[in-house]
Amino acid sequence: MVMAQQVSTHVACQLAERAKSTHPFLLTPSSASVPDPIALRTIGLSQRRAECCAEIVRRSDEILAKVAHGQSWEQALTGIKGIGPWTIAVFRIMVLREPDVLPLGDIGLERAIRNVYRRPRNVERLGETWRPFRSVACWYLWRTLGNEQLG
């Protein structure tokens, strides 16, 4: 999800494909196979995103252990520069497939809501009407934008 921050879905999908083909070990991250941020830059990541991705892989065993011992993903990822609420929310939707997550601040979601509802709406308030399936509502709204599927 770090690769998808602040870029179009199309660009995010391109970055993900480049990462998979050039660094296949990233599909099963392990602190034993930490990529060099410079190598990650060659696929089109900014310096900060490359460093964040490398840090996630470096700490992957620790992160997974924390989650296995009952910490939330938010708690386990705290302290990694470049990981914020949006990244965690989209990770929970796209990777963990949690059904009730609302990624506040998502530009695509806001655009889809404007298109579907024909005017801007308060995303948080509208999201309350979708409980307990806010992730599902977001996914359907994102699909209305006609982008490639991310995740």
Side-chain angles (χ1 to χ4, degrees):
M1 297 297 107
V2 171
M3 291 182 196
Q5 294 172 341
Q6 300 174 335
V7 297
S8 70
T9 303
H10 179 72
V11 170
C13 288
Q14 287 179 331
L15 289 170
E17 283 305 313
R18 283 186 216 142
K20 282 190 257 183
S21 65
T22 355
H23 307 289
F25 60 88
L26 289 176
L27 296 174
T28 53
S30 165
S31 57
S33 59
V34 178
D36 178 17
I38 294 169
L40 291 175
R41 299 262 347 250
T42 64
I43 66 166
L45 292 179
S46 69
Q47 182 68 32
R48 180 168 283 176
R49 281 197 190 115
E51 289 169 357
C52 181
C53 289
E55 181 70 6
I56 291 168
V57 174
R58 186 181 72 70
R59 292 179 51 185
S60 61
D61 295 338
E62 169 195 339
I63 292 165
L64 293 172
K66 286 180 177 181
V67 171
H69 287 95
Q71 286 191 13
S72 69
W73 283 98
E74 290 87 346
Q75 293 168 323
L77 294 167
T78 295
I80 298 178
K81 192 172 186 172
I83 302 288
W86 180 88
T87 305
I88 292 171
V90 174
F91 172 77
R92 288 173 58 204
I93 293 169
M94 298 294 186
V95 176
L96 301 177
R97 303 289 191 210
E98 292 182 16
D100 193 33
V101 179
L102 185 64
L104 294 175
D106 186 272
I107 305 276
L109 179 60
E110 292 171 5
R111 184 179 314 124
I113 288 170
R114 271 194 314 275
N115 292 345
V116 169
Y117 289 90
R118 302 286 183 226
R119 62 187 173 91
R121 302 284 301 259
N122 178 304
V123 177
E124 196 166 7
R125 192 171 337 144
L126 184 60
E128 287 302 314
T129 66
W130 303 331
R131 276 188 189 275
F133 300 106
R134 294 178 298 173
S135 301
V136 177
C138 292
W139 186 84
Y140 277 111
L141 284 160
W142 284 324
R143 297 299 292 156
T144 68
L145 299 173
N147 296 324
E148 289 178 68
Q149 184 174 351
L150 179 64

